[in-house]
Amino acid sequence: MKGGKNEKAKLRDSPQENGVQTNQYSSISPPASPVAQDEPFSTYFEEKVPIPESPNQVFSFRKLWAFTGPGFLMSIAYLDPGNIESDLQSGAKAGFKLLWVLLLATIIGLLLQRLAARLGVVTGMHLAEVCNRQYPTVPRIILWLMVELAIIGSDMQEVIGCAIALNLLSVGRIPLWAGVLITITDTFVFLFLDKYGLRKLEAFFGFLITVMAISFGYEYVLVKPDQGELLKGMFVPYCAGCGPVQLEQAVGIVGAVIMPHNIYLHSALVKSREVDRKNKKEVKEANKYFFIESSIALFVSFLINVFVVAVFAQAFYNKSNMEVNAECNATGSPHTDLFPLNNGTLEVDIYKGGVVLGCFFGPAALYIWAIGILAAGQSSTMTGTYSGQFVMEGFLNLRWSRFARVLLTRSIAITPTLLVAIFQDVQHLTGMNDFLNVLQSMQLPFALIPILTFTSLTSIMNDFANGLMWKISGGIVILVVCAINMYFVVVYVTSLNSVLLYVLSSLLSIAYLCFVGYLAWHCLIALGVSCLDFCSRVRNRPAVLIEEQSEYDS
């Protein structure tokens, strides 16, 4: 192939420097059209944040501040409306008993984000770009479509969250369909902010995270959760008296926290810092600071998630519809009809969650809750836009403007959401979140398997490839996470009670499992199972290129 020859030519001109192979995987320039080949290709901002010098310092707060930004943008995916809904349902259904699952899922998320950041720092390319080089055309296109589905599903959740928040803030004056249409303005807000530079945009995201922390923190202080029960639920990995409902909720927590498109996002965001990838010391230092920053960012997001779980665990665990109906009726709430007059256990979503807070703790609790949901939706929709931009450019080498990209994904996300908002009620709109969580759970292998594959290949990562411990632990974590999410999908499908859907699901499952098996095969080869290496392009192609580099150097 002509493209292959071009890649080999580039490799011959790139020797090793300071222990880091400056090959195709240390270049930001993917193959492009002949006209555009000499132009610098950027999937992020034109500017890059300079890193201050600090010779002979083991740790520098100035350097940490320079590296701060990508981790907090990444952490917003842990605070989107889908996560908030999972948190409040966890508290209402299981009390404090599943906090340890949230903690474990966040730690697993941190380890996966570490792999994503390392790939971006070491290679200078994000995950979608590496997939573009490593996988053949057909698997690459399928992989792109699956990731796009995950991004659109996440975008729909954010649209739903913003529409519900606007409805609550306006006391119903802004109908849900109007709230959905208003979210189109996110496009213009995003493009407007983008003009002000990278650090200002990162500061704006920090502001939105602060709004969420204050909003949900206010609810936490207002409700005064039992601190002893909270700590017990967080650090004792046991769920006394739990049944299928709590098990399904635990699975839902893992599915909501670990988002497939977030892996692609983080691997691209780290490219915004000035790091000399030819210098092994600088690459190692960048990996260290990005990991510290990601740890801090995910700790903040974990605290915000804990606020939400604790509020609903303390105030609404084991509450019946009858109790809530009576309280809402007594306070004159216009939403009393949301809670039927029966002794069934209260079921909440982000809409009902705001309503019950208003009934029990006053209107201020409702409005502050809605502000938090609006901040969650606005921030996550912007990071979702970046994910879509990186994924499309990386997989397809398409140089779409951000305006066109945002308009396309937002239109796809808004159309089905708008139809449901017009012709159905809020219960159906929030019920879409269950389907969207299942959709994203199914896409998880298409991010986790490639990231483990490529960070384990020395031909790509050189001295920074995963060691044996990381390969084993990473493989086990990904296997467990994918198994948990598949269980979540099976539970959802079996609850549909439709033979036609069962048959359709079975046929789709066969194709789905075949493709996952294909990716897993390449991953196992990368992890060192050499007996499977009979025609793997992922294994052989980089090795051949590096051999040619050695011959050229000699």
Side-chain angles (χ1 to χ4, degrees):
M1 285 177 63
K2 188 176 178 181
K5 291 178 181 177
N6 289 340
E7 289 178 16
K8 294 174 185 178
K10 287 179 185 177
L11 277 167
R12 293 192 184 102
D13 296 329
S14 52
Q16 284 192 1
E17 294 184 38
N18 294 325
V20 176
Q21 178 79 26
T22 57
N23 53 19
Q24 175 72 14
Y25 300 101
S26 296
S27 170
I28 199 171
S29 303
S33 63
V35 177
Q37 205 134 38
D38 294 329
E39 298 176 4
F41 181 74
S42 174
T43 56
Y44 202 24
F45 303 91
E46 286 77 10
E47 63 173 301
K48 287 198 173 187
V49 176
I51 307 301
E53 293 291 333
S54 55
N56 304 321
Q57 275 190 285
V58 177
F59 180 81
S60 165
F61 281 103
R62 287 182 66 231
K63 278 196 174 183
L64 179 61
W65 178 248
F67 281 106
T68 296
F72 280 90
L73 267 68
M74 166 274 295
S75 73
I76 285 170
Y78 292 72
L79 295 168
D80 69 355
N83 270 290
I84 301 301
E85 182 160 289
S86 174
D87 292 338
L88 64 89
Q89 288 175 344
S90 170
K93 292 179 180 178
F96 298 100
K97 298 174 187 176
L98 295 179
L99 277 173
W100 64 273
V101 177
L102 177 62
L103 176 61
L104 184 62
T106 305
I107 292 171
I108 290 173
L110 174 62
L111 299 179
L112 295 171
Q113 298 300 160
R114 173 187 179 271
L115 295 180
R118 284 171 71 86
L119 181 73
V121 170
V122 174
T123 68
M125 297 193 301
H126 56 73
L127 181 56
E129 290 175 310
V130 179
C131 287
N132 182 33
R133 283 155 179 72
Q134 293 300 305
Y135 291 122
T137 303
V138 174
R140 185 171 71 239
I141 297 299
I142 296 172
L143 196 59
W144 167 66
L145 290 172
M146 293 298 101
V147 178
E148 286 289 353
L149 270 178
I151 293 170
I152 291 168
S154 175
D155 210 25
M156 288 177 70
Q157 286 184 314
E158 290 140 16
V159 169
I160 291 169
C162 289
I164 288 173
L166 291 169
N167 182 268
L168 288 172
L169 285 170
S170 65
V171 199
R173 291 188 182 89
I174 299 178
L176 291 171
W177 61 266
V180 171
L181 290 175
I182 288 171
T183 59
I184 294 175
T185 59
D186 291 344
T187 303
F188 304 103
V189 171
F190 171 78
L191 293 171
F192 175 75
L193 290 170
D194 201 22
K195 301 293 183 184
Y196 280 85
L198 172 57
R199 291 301 267 177
K200 291 183 176 66
L201 187 64
E202 289 175 346
F204 178 71
F205 280 111
F207 167 73
L208 291 176
I209 292 173
T210 304
V211 170
M212 283 185 270
I214 293 171
S215 299
F216 300 131
Y218 169 82
E219 310 285 359
Y220 182 86
V221 172
L222 187 67
V223 173
K224 297 184 179 71
D226 184 323
Q227 300 303 304
E229 287 297 314
L230 187 149
L231 292 173
K232 180 181 174 184
M234 191 180 296
F235 296 110
V236 178
Y238 182 67
C239 189
C242 292
V245 172
Q246 287 76 22
L247 176 61
E248 188 177 334
Q249 190 57 47
V251 170
I253 290 171
V254 178
V257 167
I258 303 172
M259 309 280 279
H261 64 279
N262 209 32
I263 305 295
Y264 288 86
L265 174 68
H266 198 197
S267 65
L269 293 175
V270 296
K271 292 165 55 176
S272 60
R273 268 52 182 176
E274 281 186 2
V275 177
D276 182 7
R277 291 185 304 280
K278 299 173 185 177
N279 187 318
K280 184 175 178 179
K281 182 183 176 183
E282 280 196 31
V283 172
K284 188 174 182 180
E285 186 178 66
N287 285 332
K288 177 182 76 175
Y289 282 106
F290 276 130
F291 181 68
I292 294 170
E293 187 239 358
S294 297
S295 301
I296 296 169
L298 289 188
F299 176 71
V300 171
S301 72
F302 173 70
L303 285 183
I304 295 173
N305 283 314
V306 167
F307 289 162
V308 178
V309 175
V311 164
F312 284 83
Q314 182 69 33
F316 306 115
Y317 176 49
N318 277 339
K319 278 278 193 300
S320 69
N321 287 318
M322 189 85 74
E323 291 176 88
V324 176
N325 184 290
E327 188 68 30
C328 288
N329 195 41
T331 56
S333 170
H335 305 289
T336 307
D337 58 326
L338 288 174
F339 311 102
L341 289 168
N342 60 42
N343 285 318
T345 304
L346 173 67
E347 292 188 6
V348 286
D349 48 45
I350 52 176
Y351 183 78
K352 287 183 181 177
V355 171
V356 294
L357 284 170
C359 291
F360 281 78
F361 301 102
L366 185 152
Y367 295 131
I368 291 172
W369 168 263
I371 290 169
I373 296 297
L374 186 62
Q378 290 294 314
S379 57
S380 53
T381 197
M382 292 180 189
T383 53
T385 299
Y386 275 121
S387 300
Q389 182 80 2
F390 299 141
V391 164
M392 181 172 280
E393 288 177 347
F395 276 109
L396 305 180
N397 284 329
L398 290 181
R399 297 170 182 246
W400 281 27
S401 68
R402 289 199 179 96
F403 180 87
R405 169 69 212 179
V406 175
L407 204 58
L408 174 66
T409 53
R410 184 44 52 88
S411 300
I412 295 172
I414 278 179
T415 303
T417 313
L418 184 61
L419 290 174
V420 174
I422 292 172
F423 297 109
Q424 301 290 344
D425 52 18
V426 69
Q427 282 88 346
H428 288 86
L429 192 62
T430 53
M432 285 181 69
N433 272 328
D434 293 334
F435 170 75
L436 295 172
N437 282 334
V438 168
L439 178 67
Q440 292 187 82
S441 294
M442 292 183 68
Q443 311 313 317
L444 208 51
F446 307 128
L448 303 191
I449 295 176
I451 195 65
L452 181 62
T453 301
F454 300 135
T455 54
S456 297
L457 286 170
T458 52
S459 56
I460 293 176
M461 299 292 287
N462 301 293
D463 293 342
F464 296 94
N466 294 330
L468 181 61
M469 200 65 194
W470 266 101
K471 288 180 180 179
I472 294 172
S473 58
I476 292 171
V477 163
I478 289 173
L479 184 64
V480 170
V481 169
C482 290
I484 287 172
N485 281 276
M486 287 305 101
Y487 171 81
F488 183 52
V489 172
V490 169
V491 168
Y492 177 80
V493 171
T494 52
S495 68
L496 297 175
N497 296 320
S498 170
V499 175
L500 180 62
L501 289 175
Y502 291 161
V503 174
L504 183 62
S505 299
S506 300
L507 294 174
L508 290 174
S509 296
I510 293 170
Y512 175 84
L513 291 173
C514 285
F515 187 57
V516 171
Y518 171 83
L519 296 177
W521 167 55
H522 284 305
C523 185
L524 288 170
I525 293 170
L527 294 177
V529 186
S530 56
C531 60
L532 298 175
D533 185 12
F534 45 89
C535 62
S536 168
R537 176 180 168 182
V538 166
R539 169 90 173 188
N540 292 337
R541 186 173 173 227
V544 170
L545 295 176
I546 286 179
E547 284 173 10
E548 292 180 1
Q549 169 67 42
S550 300
E551 290 171 7
Y552 177 78
D553 289 342
S554 62

